[in-house]
Amino acid sequence: VQMGAWLLWSPKWSLAVGGAAVGYLTNLVALKVMFEPVEPYKGPEWLQGMLQGQNWKGFQGLFLTRQDAVAEEFAEFMSRAVLSAPQIWAALLLGSTHSRPPLQGPPERDE
């Protein structure tokens, strides 16, 4: 759509405005999918009746369904890279203007 509009009507700013609109809509959809609905939506009564014997928890935002795992991984990163003993001692002894030790990379996973 954006390319067709530019071919028919091509002021210099049309690509920038079109790109901004597409970017805004993409971000809006991504945020809605990640964070809404907050409470699980189980659907209408007839659907709940059909899925009664199965492990149906309903629809929920993608981030909210994985919130416990994300919080655990974030806490592990913070304790390893940001709030590690060398980082804290360096900040206490040398102040905030010294060069900090480099952050460690992500942990090795055994999967």
Side-chain angles (χ1 to χ4, degrees):
V1 174
Q2 183 180 0
M3 184 180 71
W6 186 72
L7 288 173
L8 297 175
W9 181 63
S10 61
K12 294 179 181 179
W13 51 266
S14 65
L15 287 178
V17 170
V22 168
Y24 177 78
L25 291 174
T26 302
N27 288 341
L28 183 69
V29 168
L31 288 172
K32 294 282 186 188
V33 168
M34 286 179 66
F35 296 109
E36 289 185 9
V38 175
E39 299 296 325
Y41 174 68
K42 298 191 182 214
E45 292 292 326
W46 61 269
L47 181 62
Q48 292 178 27
M50 288 175 49
L51 300 171
Q52 187 175 12
Q54 300 175 10
N55 188 16
W56 172 250
K57 296 179 182 173
F59 298 108
Q60 193 174 16
L62 296 175
F63 175 76
L64 298 172
T65 58
R66 296 196 60 234
Q67 188 172 8
D68 294 335
V70 170
E72 183 178 323
E73 197 167 315
F74 181 72
E76 181 182 326
F77 167 76
M78 288 296 289
S79 66
R80 181 178 76 311
V82 179
L83 297 175
S84 65
Q87 295 276 3
I88 293 173
W89 278 112
L92 286 173
L93 297 175
L94 303 172
S96 62
T97 59
H98 78 286
S99 62
R100 293 182 171 89
L103 293 177
Q104 300 170 0
E108 299 293 325
R109 294 192 176 243
D110 299 330
E111 293 184 35

